[in-house]
Amino acid sequence: MSNSGGGDRSADRGPDRGVARRGLMLVLSSPSGAGKTTISRALLEGDGNLTLSISVTTREKRPSEKDGVDYHFIDRAQFDAMAKAGDLLEHAEVFDNGYGTPRADVERALAAGRDVLFDIDWQGTQQLGEKMRDDLVSVFILPPSTEELERRLHSRAQDSDETVRARMATAADEMSHWREYDYIIVNRDIGESVRQARSILEAERLKRDRQVGLRNFVERLRRPQ
């Protein structure tokens, strides 16, 4: 399901015949440790119309995580069945674990005018763009330096030294995909990065093509009273 120009649709929504809005998909991507999870949480806490897309994954649950809140933790057989049936908008293998976005919940949210936030990598972003480009707003978050990225990975104390080395080894490849994104944020200061992400979201919500019924609304404004 994709938006093919909501501003030109003839149907109005709502009893006041005003302008409704189709939701958008806001993707935040970054190398692990660059700040996308912190920025995502800040956006969600301050915006009642933004909902998190909860991915399915085959990886083991961390002690701090909750099933159905951070991820839907499923086994490999379930994951493969969903991918084969087309029930995932995107899916990818990361460190030998499967990650994917269930289709149905996202499509319902967009149709209801709610925005959906995605914390996914460049592979998933490419797949979303292939399926629903008109609904997609993509933001890539860069660290201020590789030294700072490594420091952040160590300081969060979630991964072993071996895992940190593996994440650093893949960071350069992940960052090479920055050109594929609509917006770039260099996360030098978390407060400023959150402000920039909010500005992107607010501007994208006002785009003409996302405002359903706008043509008829303007035509009514132009009619003589």
Side-chain angles (χ1 to χ4, degrees):
M1 181 197 309
S2 63
N3 182 8
S4 57
D8 291 332
R9 293 178 183 177
S10 61
D12 293 329
R13 295 184 180 182
D16 61 351
R17 293 169 58 80
V19 180
R21 183 176 65 82
R22 177 172 170 81
L24 58 84
M25 302 187 302
L26 177 66
V27 169
L28 299 185
S29 298
S30 77
S32 294
K36 68 179 181 297
T37 300
T38 302
I39 294 171
S40 296
R41 287 173 179 164
L43 291 177
L44 290 164
E45 288 172 1
D47 195 320
N49 197 55
L50 186 65
T51 185
L52 180 65
S53 171
I54 302 176
S55 299
V56 295
T57 182
T58 62
R59 77 160 169 79
E60 293 295 322
K61 184 170 70 71
R62 291 171 179 157
S64 62
E65 292 175 329
K66 294 182 180 179
D67 187 26
V69 176
D70 298 286
Y71 290 95
H72 297 293
F73 295 94
I74 62 176
D75 62 30
R76 174 57 70 172
Q78 290 175 286
F79 184 88
D80 291 343
M82 291 182 73
K84 184 176 181 180
D87 293 334
L88 299 177
L89 281 175
E90 58 80 27
H91 59 92
E93 295 292 320
V94 182
F95 297 111
D96 298 322
N97 293 304
Y99 292 81
T101 299
R103 176 188 294 270
D105 290 347
V106 172
E107 292 186 335
R108 280 194 295 268
L110 297 182
R114 292 184 58 79
D115 303 315
V116 183
L117 177 64
F118 294 79
D119 179 349
I120 57 177
D121 66 6
W122 65 269
Q123 296 170 330
T125 304
Q126 285 184 337
Q127 292 179 54
L128 287 182
E130 291 169 0
K131 296 181 176 72
M132 304 175 72
R133 186 63 186 92
D134 292 339
D135 294 316
L136 180 64
V137 178
S138 59
V139 182
F140 198 88
I141 300 164
L142 292 169
S145 67
T146 53
E147 292 80 10
E148 175 62 14
L149 180 63
E150 185 170 10
R151 186 196 69 78
R152 292 175 184 176
L153 285 171
H154 280 294
S155 67
R156 68 185 190 179
Q158 289 183 336
D159 301 312
S160 66
D161 289 345
E162 182 180 356
T163 299
V164 168
R165 286 193 294 271
R167 293 190 186 281
M168 288 300 298
T170 62
D173 178 65
E174 292 171 334
M175 289 187 287
S176 73
H177 294 274
W178 66 272
R179 293 180 182 85
E180 300 162 20
Y181 285 74
D182 300 320
Y183 300 92
I184 304 296
I185 293 175
V186 179
N187 185 22
R188 299 182 180 91
D189 175 80
I190 192 62
E192 177 63 11
S193 296
V194 170
R195 186 196 66 77
Q196 291 172 345
R198 284 176 176 153
S199 296
I200 291 167
L201 178 58
E202 288 302 315
E204 287 288 339
R205 284 170 167 170
L206 295 175
K207 279 195 170 178
R208 180 188 66 243
D209 289 349
R210 291 200 171 95
Q211 300 191 52
V212 180
L214 186 58
R215 171 189 283 181
N216 285 359
F217 178 75
V218 174
E219 286 177 355
R220 288 195 300 276
L221 291 177
R222 297 179 65 233
R223 290 174 192 158
Q225 299 300 312

